[in-house]
Amino acid sequence: MKLNRRTFIKGLGAGTAGCAFATLPGSIAALGTTELQGSAESVASICEMCSTRCPISARVVKGKNVSILGNKKAKSFGGAVCARGGAGHSQLYDKQRIVKPLKRIGERGEGKWAEIEWDEAYSIIAKNLNKIKADYGAESVAFSSKSGSLAGHLFHLAKAYGSPNTFTHASTCPAGYVIAAKAMFGDKISRDLSNAKYIINFGHNLYEGINMSETRGMMNAQMEQGAKLVVFEPRFSIVADKADEWYAIKPGTDVAVALAICNTLIKDDLYDKAFVAQYVSGFEAFAEEVEQYTPEWAESISDVPAEDIRRITHEYAAAAPHALVDFGHRSSFTTEEFEMRRALYAANVLIGNIERKGGLYFGKKAPNYNKFAGEKAAPTLSKPGVANMPKIDAKRIDMVDEQYSLLWSEGGMYQSILDASLDAVPYQLHGWVMSRTNPMQTLTDRARIVKAMQKLDFIVACDIYISESAAYADIFLPESTYLERDEEISDKSGKNPVYYVRQRVVETIGDTKPSWLIWKEVADKLGQGEFFPWDNMETLQLFQVDKDVALLNHIKRDGWVSYGKPLMLREPSMVKDFIATYPNAKTPDSDNTYASHLSFKTPTGKIELSSDKVEGIAPGRGVIKFREVSMKKADELYFIQGKVAVHTNAGTQNVPMLANLMSDNALWIHPVTAKLLNIQSGDAIRIYNATGSEDGHALVTPGIRPDTVFAYMGCGSKNKELARATGKGVHCGNLLPDVKSPVTGMCLHTTGVKIAKI
Ligand SMILES: Nc1nc2c(c(=O)[nH]1)N[C@H]1C(S)=C(S)[C@@H](COP(=O)(O)OP(=O)(O)OC[C@H]3O[C@@H](n4cnc5c(=O)[nH]c(N)nc54)[C@H](O)[C@@H]3O)O[C@H]1N2
Ligand SMILES: Nc1nc2c(c(=O)[nH]1)N[C@H]1C(S)=C(S)[C@@H](COP(=O)(O)OP(=O)(O)OC[C@H]3O[C@@H](n4cnc5c(=O)[nH]c(N)nc54)[C@H](O)[C@@H]3O)O[C@H]1N2
Ligand code: SF4
Ligand SMILES: [Mo]
């Protein structure tokens, strides 16, 4: 494939007419781009319209458009993309996209910007960051980015600069289930939805909150395996609509139902005793604790009938081990998120579905897979390390309590940036470099974030749009979109090793750069260029493959390189296939599995249903327990949110094609509640609580509990630069209080609200 250098000066396109920000400095509209330069042949690459990062195959069509299809080689993704993935070109070529560095010239958030050259942007950044470092220490600058893609390059810059304060979006999304898995299994764990015969789902919204391979997996289970799907969801979601049974569970009470499932499995003698004896530590303490959590008790808390919990548990156990309780992703985060995810995992452990088809399993990356194969079945990737990085003595701002120690290596507690900025807890923050994140919409308590940003000395935002958060930056750095970037090879191993890589499909539009280059050039200006000893992305890729050019080309050509056969250590048919493939493979156990090789990176080497380690860092939490949570006042309604199939979080609301499909999020209200409030569908309403107030529209529907209201998240931006989204719909982050959950540090996305017709 040959990419031309950028040649984009073709006069003003007619399409800029009617665009509210045709004159915004640095936008494509100002540049007048009309032709796309890029590969007319399909290029294997990776979608980034959401963090699922599906493998794609894309090409430029007649200089006018980009065709984006799924990569057919990636079977588990069904060779397809979702609606957002298919709309990637609309983001790429959006005339409101920012394609030139900007400097703030008005007040923060006022929307006054001036175009500058990259070198001037870097000079301003270096001057300010070096001053903050000299005056207050490098630790007083926080660096944050949504994890994945090029986040590691920003964090590398933070380390070179000398700050320990790096944050992903973890405490707004995966920290709960990831940290619970680390505490219990010693590692992250995956679910084998496609082979499951019975799935119990607690608000895992896979038919709207799409993850192509998991969504396909659940479809396969339902359509090919005839799996039964039981769904606990406060609203009638698409998943609920496709389920065999739906229970409108009370928000935040999943932990009670999960514990009642565990109670029934133990009390009715349905659990896998041999599995528990061999692999589990702390079963007795757990069993003693859950004795009180009967289905009747759970009904009184969750509104799920006891007799159904009991029957469902029996059906689930009958389908074991090819059955699973989906540990989910979001549903309602409560302050008991840690206990909820552990209870959901426990319901799997008790039926012994670990490393069985249709159960839970650990990723099989090349080093581990090769040990079983007894040969180099898959290549391993090298990680470039940089010698003599500065030693950082300062503590992270979220190291305020030992209980969060499981979180520090998992992305940190994002909210702590606000405490450090506003209240100097544990010390004063002075700067913030943010990339690919929009906390005003996606964290909580927007007003507090505005105050925190107003107080900081210096803020840099790297984005593709002036998001609501970027609107408060001093310097805006426009990144090239994923269709214009090359990146490192990624490990996407599941049951067997897999690699894929992002490659440029289109020549860079305007004056944008990939962030790996941006942070390297910032380091150069800071005088820390020695810590970025690579010239370009290919140097990094070649380092990864130990200069094996043929391997790199193979990964680039196919875009999805999968090695060997899927392996689950306790699944006889898979182990048999594996041994047939690799003559030097480890000898199996007498039951034709690798069961004796299954071990866990926990202090006991077993699955810790009760954990001394957790008791040590968070006294009282060693054993999984139910605790009451207070999510709302008595006279308030639960306010819950979820993903919609045509938008990603707060990141796509301004993408033309997707904004056309949906730009407002009407609030779902049950007819009984609506009648009491004299509200009808389409009415203008006010949603308010102690944190904030939002105006929106009502959607009266029986598909929601009477005590709950629901909105799709990611609408109602308050900055004028996102012209297609501004002021449209309910801004969820403006209604959510700032909370830190025990152990996981998770923020809360469910709260109480009142509603009034306006
Ligand atoms: N109320 C509420 N809050 C939530 C959620 C919810 O359901 N309800 N969901 C939570 C979840 S699950 C998550 S993961 C978080 C996500 O929250 P964030 O981490 O803030 O991520 P996004 O909202 O996806 O988008 C972040 C920004 O990335 C920008 N962007 C897109 N592509 C690129 C690129 O290539 N380069 C750069 N530099 N920028 C780019 C977008 O313009 C956007 O401004 O939100 C959480 N917050
Ligand atoms: N289309 C689309 N797909 C996405 C994303 C996107 O923004 N758009 N984002 C991606 C990301 S970052 C993530 S993290 C995943 C998230 O994937 P999911 O976690 O599956 O997605 P959400 O829609 O946030 O899920 C919340 C669901 O839980 C329900 N719910 C709320 N409270 C409760 C409760 O207390 N109990 C139960 N049982 N259910 C409850 C909500 O009604 C909603 O349906 O999706 C990914 N895929
Ligand atoms: S789920 Fe959709 S938007 Fe997300 S990476 Fe895959 S195709 Fe792209
Ligand atoms: Mo997420």
Side-chain angles (χ1 to χ4, degrees), residues 410-672:
E410 292 297 335
M413 197 190 325
Y414 207 1
Q415 307 92 301
S416 59
I417 292 182
L418 309 182
D419 298 341
S421 308
L422 287 170
D423 307 323
V425 173
Y427 52 83
Q428 185 64 49
L429 214 57
H430 289 272
W432 189 351
V433 181
M434 60 167 75
S435 183
R436 207 170 154 251
T437 178
N438 184 8
M440 283 199 193
Q441 284 243 335
T442 58
L443 199 54
T444 47
D445 198 348
R446 179 187 187 276
R448 193 150 186 261
I449 302 177
V450 171
K451 274 193 216 137
M453 291 183 77
Q454 295 286 22
K455 198 172 164 198
L456 289 170
D457 302 353
F458 185 63
I459 302 168
V460 179
C462 170
D463 204 299
I464 56 174
Y465 287 108
I466 303 181
S467 74
E468 206 176 334
S469 312
Y472 283 73
D474 301 301
I475 295 290
F476 179 91
L477 304 176
E479 179 159 31
S480 315
T481 68
Y482 68 97
L483 290 168
E484 304 158 282
R485 301 199 294 255
D486 289 308
E487 296 188 8
E488 282 108 330
I489 301 166
S490 293
D491 189 326
K492 194 80 169 169
S493 302
K495 292 168 204 149
N496 52 308
V498 175
Y499 299 119
Y500 69 160
V501 68
R502 173 165 294 143
Q503 303 187 79
R504 238 181 330 166
V505 179
V506 183
E507 185 68 6
T508 311
I509 291 178
D511 200 3
T512 66
K513 300 183 187 216
S515 61
W516 66 262
L517 182 59
I518 296 175
W519 307 129
K520 176 181 158 61
E521 291 179 345
V522 168
D524 282 343
K525 264 287 193 270
L526 283 167
Q528 275 135 7
E530 64 185 296
F531 301 119
F532 287 74
W534 42 83
D535 301 330
N536 53 42
M537 187 43 73
E538 191 147 54
T539 317
L540 284 167
Q541 293 168 340
L542 281 169
F543 188 94
Q544 287 184 290
V545 293
D546 293 330
K547 301 212 168 64
D548 184 343
V549 177
L551 173 60
L552 179 58
N553 285 341
H554 181 191
I555 298 172
K556 285 186 171 178
R557 189 189 61 233
D558 286 3
W560 182 263
V561 182
S562 170
Y563 295 88
K565 295 270 166 76
L567 179 63
M568 296 174 104
L569 300 183
R570 296 177 60 243
E571 194 58 53
S573 62
M574 283 180 166
V575 173
K576 192 173 157 212
D577 269 7
F578 184 81
I579 291 166
T581 313
Y582 300 109
N584 297 321
K586 267 190 207 303
T587 312
D589 302 339
S590 55
D591 61 355
N592 295 317
T593 73
Y594 285 139
S596 64
H597 295 276
L598 177 58
S599 64
F600 303 88
K601 293 182 213 143
T602 55
T604 57
K606 298 196 168 195
I607 300 170
E608 301 202 337
L609 271 190
S610 307
S611 158
D612 290 344
K613 182 178 170 187
V614 172
E615 186 64 34
I617 61 169
R621 291 189 179 270
V623 181
I624 305 170
K625 260 192 183 51
F626 176 82
R627 290 175 191 77
E628 290 275 356
V629 293
S630 124
M631 303 174 77
K632 67 170 190 73
K633 300 200 180 90
D635 58 351
E636 290 179 333
L637 298 160
Y638 291 103
F639 172 45
I640 63 170
Q641 300 110 60
K643 315 295 181 202
V644 68
V646 298
H647 278 294
T648 297
N649 300 329
T652 58
Q653 46 188 314
N654 210 48
V655 173
M657 265 182 75
L658 300 176
N660 271 347
L661 287 172
M662 181 188 144
S663 64
D664 196 352
N665 54 352
L667 193 77
W668 296 26
I669 308 177
H670 190 273
V672 169

Side-chain angles (χ1 to χ4, degrees), residues 297-482:
W297 165 85
E299 176 175 346
S300 72
I301 289 176
S302 66
D303 293 344
V304 179
E307 66 201 60
D308 290 311
I309 298 177
R310 204 166 265 123
R311 175 185 48 77
I312 289 162
T313 308
H314 277 255
E315 290 173 6
Y316 168 60
H322 309 298
L324 61 86
V325 171
D326 190 337
F327 52 84
H329 200 131
R330 284 175 27 79
S331 79
S332 275
F333 299 143
T334 74
T335 44
E336 291 304 303
E337 171 74 4
F338 185 57
E339 308 296 347
M340 175 212 177
R341 300 298 163 188
R342 286 200 299 171
L344 295 174
Y345 289 131
N348 289 285
V349 171
L350 290 176
I351 65 156
N353 69 2
I354 312 299
E355 292 287 327
R356 295 302 307 266
K357 274 188 175 175
L360 308 188
Y361 66 96
F362 296 101
K364 305 288 182 300
K365 294 194 177 194
N368 187 22
Y369 194 84
N370 291 349
K371 274 190 207 147
F372 280 95
E375 64 178 87
K376 198 172 174 191
T380 50
L381 293 187
S382 301
K383 271 198 190 135
V386 177
N388 305 321
M389 288 291 283
K391 189 170 172 294
I392 300 174
D393 292 323
K395 284 207 154 149
R396 291 175 58 95
I397 50 175
D398 54 2
M399 279 195 187
V400 286
D401 198 324
E402 180 67 17
Q403 65 172 306
Y404 299 123
S405 56
L406 291 170
L407 178 62
W408 297 330
S409 62
E410 292 297 335
M413 197 190 325
Y414 207 1
Q415 307 92 301
S416 59
I417 292 182
L418 309 182
D419 298 341
S421 308
L422 287 170
D423 307 323
V425 173
Y427 52 83
Q428 185 64 49
L429 214 57
H430 289 272
W432 189 351
V433 181
M434 60 167 75
S435 183
R436 207 170 154 251
T437 178
N438 184 8
M440 283 199 193
Q441 284 243 335
T442 58
L443 199 54
T444 47
D445 198 348
R446 179 187 187 276
R448 193 150 186 261
I449 302 177
V450 171
K451 274 193 216 137
M453 291 183 77
Q454 295 286 22
K455 198 172 164 198
L456 289 170
D457 302 353
F458 185 63
I459 302 168
V460 179
C462 170
D463 204 299
I464 56 174
Y465 287 108
I466 303 181
S467 74
E468 206 176 334
S469 312
Y472 283 73
D474 301 301
I475 295 290
F476 179 91
L477 304 176
E479 179 159 31
S480 315
T481 68
Y482 68 97

Side-chain angles (χ1 to χ4, degrees), residues 47 49-50 52-54 81-82 84-85 210 212:
C47 181
M49 291 300 282
C50 86
T52 305
R53 310 185 82 221
C54 299
V81 290
C82 76
R84 299 161 298 150
I210 296 179
M212 285 300 284

Side-chain angles (χ1 to χ4, degrees), residues 50-52 84 146 173 202-206 208-211 232-235 237 249-254 329-332 640-649 710 750:
C50 86
S51 39
T52 305
R84 299 161 298 150
K146 184 147 205 240
C173 172
F202 286 90
H204 195 187
N205 191 19
L206 277 173
E208 291 175 286
I210 296 179
N211 170 319
F232 299 101
E233 244 287 0
R235 69 178 178 112
S237 65
I249 191 171
K250 185 190 280 183
T253 65
D254 306 58
H329 200 131
R330 284 175 27 79
S331 79
S332 275
I640 63 170
Q641 300 110 60
K643 315 295 181 202
V644 68
V646 298
H647 278 294
T648 297
N649 300 329
F710 168 86
T750 298

